[in-house]
Amino acid sequence: MGFLWSKPVKYWVPEDRKLKDLLDEDQQRWKTATDLTGWQIQNSLDNNFADSVLNTVATTEINLSFNGLGDDECEHLARIVKSSKIIKRLILENNHIHAAGAKALAEALNPEKGKEDPCLEMLSLRNNSIGAEGATALSMVMTANKTLKHIDLHYNNIGNKGLEAL
């Protein structure tokens, strides 16, 4: 029970490291696991970010935890997930994602007829607010997408209705 009263962890990003700097870097230098935890990039996910991620060669994991991301940013992420052939793990823990964001991600993860499944193998939405509606949308993906092996929905207030769908 001690975890309920523990102090929240604050992540600090040096002032000299901004998302724009990362986007301007040579994509060959992006790591296999790109950790952007706590960068507070909630209003910075735009086409430049999507293009940079899609042009990278080595990125297999992107961690966007503690960034204040919401449903609008999930639409950009959905485009990345749908188009990317190299991203295997997407971590979106502790953000402000609701049912609309979960639906956008679910739509991107649903395979289209005659095309391959998106390459994403693991999606973590731990500690967001997707609710029963978002859980229901993601449950449809679990049966249709053969590549996706793990979805983490802990602490999302999905209730009995969402649990039944899963």
Side-chain angles (χ1 to χ4, degrees), residues 121-146:
E121 294 176 1
M122 191 273 288
L123 174 65
S124 180
L125 289 168
R126 178 185 285 259
N127 201 18
N128 282 286
S129 301
I130 69 167
E133 198 175 342
T136 303
L138 288 168
S139 71
M140 303 299 176
V141 171
M142 293 170 60
T143 57
N145 189 320
K146 304 297 182 221

Side-chain angles (χ1 to χ4, degrees), residues 63 65 88-95 97 102 105 109 120-131 134-135 138-139 141-142 148-158 163 166:
N63 187 345
S65 300
K88 304 286 186 206
R89 294 178 299 278
L90 181 61
I91 303 169
L92 301 172
E93 299 175 356
N94 299 294
N95 284 295
I97 300 169
L105 290 170
L109 290 169
L120 197 69
E121 294 176 1
M122 191 273 288
L123 174 65
S124 180
L125 289 168
R126 178 185 285 259
N127 201 18
N128 282 286
S129 301
I130 69 167
L138 288 168
S139 71
V141 171
M142 293 170 60
L148 190 63
K149 295 176 177 55
H150 181 81
I151 299 177
D152 187 351
L153 298 178
H154 283 88
Y155 310 109
N156 267 289
N157 197 23
I158 62 174
L163 187 60
L166 292 170

